[in-house]
Amino acid sequence: MRGLIYKDITIFFKSIDKKLVLIAGGAIVLLMVNTGAYAGLLASVMLAMTIGMQNIMSFASDEKASWKKYQLAMPVNAVFVVMGKYISVICTLAVSIVGSILLNLLSSIAFQSFNVTIWGVSAAAALIVPLLWTGICLPLTYWFGFRSAQTMGLFAVIPMFYFIKYFEDGIGFSAMTNSILSYVAVAGVGVVVLFIISMVISVIGYDRKK
């Protein structure tokens, strides 16, 4: 199983889409310039979205290559194959967390403002967003194909951008400490439950494929 996890993580890094990186990088720069002390938070959300999308794109390569034909010749079953992918997603969260720390550090230095709440929410977003993204899209990949997952991923971008716009416009700045932090723990638990349910659904979907 360690080999499967290593394969998926390797594919994640080797299949990084340069266009996606350029778009996300440009958006992060704009956020860093335009949102002041909240730049680290919003840039962290954008980075987490990018990691979630990249995970789905890297898993699509298995589907395109009809990898299950190779798996049938290996001493591993569907549970281990799918579990390996979900564990690899958890491993890529390290990239999201480190990126969030660096972005918030840069923001704190640039705007001479250190806010523990912003750092905490940023870290939560760095964990929650990729898990939410893959938790929704991976079952779609195994049941309906990677194209349906990519389409769903595009729809998932919309509420994320509304979240960013909410703060960027200044509406959510004053309300942030009093509202959003109280929902972080609940959202975290909900996403973990969704992630586990998603894995079960994905195992069933993968096992039924020929």
Side-chain angles (χ1 to χ4, degrees):
M1 185 171 169
R2 285 181 295 180
L4 294 172
I5 297 170
Y6 176 77
K7 173 187 76 72
D8 291 325
I9 294 175
T10 301
I11 291 174
F12 172 85
F13 286 106
K14 286 189 174 182
S15 64
I16 290 177
D17 191 299
K18 294 182 177 62
K19 293 180 181 178
L20 180 62
V21 171
L22 287 174
I23 293 172
I28 287 173
V29 169
L30 288 174
L31 288 170
M32 295 292 286
V33 171
N34 295 324
T35 54
Y38 290 81
L41 167 62
L42 302 181
S44 295
V45 173
M46 179 60 68
L47 175 63
M49 289 169 57
T50 305
I51 290 172
M53 285 188 282
Q54 182 58 42
N55 270 314
I56 298 304
M57 292 170 67
S58 65
F59 293 149
S61 63
D62 273 1
E63 292 293 299
K64 292 177 182 177
S66 299
W67 191 81
K68 188 172 184 180
K69 294 178 182 178
Y70 301 98
Q71 178 257 316
L72 292 174
M74 299 170 64
V76 291
N77 58 30
V79 175
F80 287 111
V81 172
V82 175
M83 188 180 297
K85 292 189 181 297
Y86 278 78
I87 292 175
S88 74
V89 170
I90 295 173
C91 291
T92 61
L93 294 179
V95 180
S96 189
I97 283 291
V98 171
S100 175
I101 292 172
L102 293 175
L103 289 169
N104 276 283
L105 182 61
L106 179 61
S107 174
S108 296
I109 294 172
F111 298 102
Q112 298 182 347
S113 173
F114 180 84
N115 188 312
V116 176
T117 300
I118 293 177
W119 280 66
V121 175
S122 298
L127 295 173
I128 289 173
V129 172
L131 291 180
L132 178 63
W133 209 292
T134 51
I136 293 173
C137 292
L138 264 179
L140 291 174
T141 299
Y142 290 126
W143 280 86
F144 306 108
F146 68 90
R147 295 193 183 280
S148 64
Q150 289 176 328
T151 302
M152 184 62 189
L154 292 175
F155 284 115
V157 170
I158 297 174
M160 295 296 178
F161 273 109
Y162 269 110
F163 172 82
I164 291 173
K165 193 67 177 173
Y166 177 73
F167 287 103
E168 187 179 7
D169 287 342
I171 301 172
F173 284 5
S174 61
M176 179 179 173
T177 304
N178 298 324
S179 60
I180 194 170
L181 192 59
S182 63
Y183 296 108
V184 167
V186 175
V189 173
V191 167
V192 169
V193 172
L194 170 67
F195 200 68
I196 295 171
I197 294 173
S198 170
M199 185 171 66
V200 174
I201 296 173
S202 292
V203 168
I204 296 171
Y206 183 85
D207 199 38
R208 65 187 280 274
K209 293 179 65 178
K210 304 297 183 183

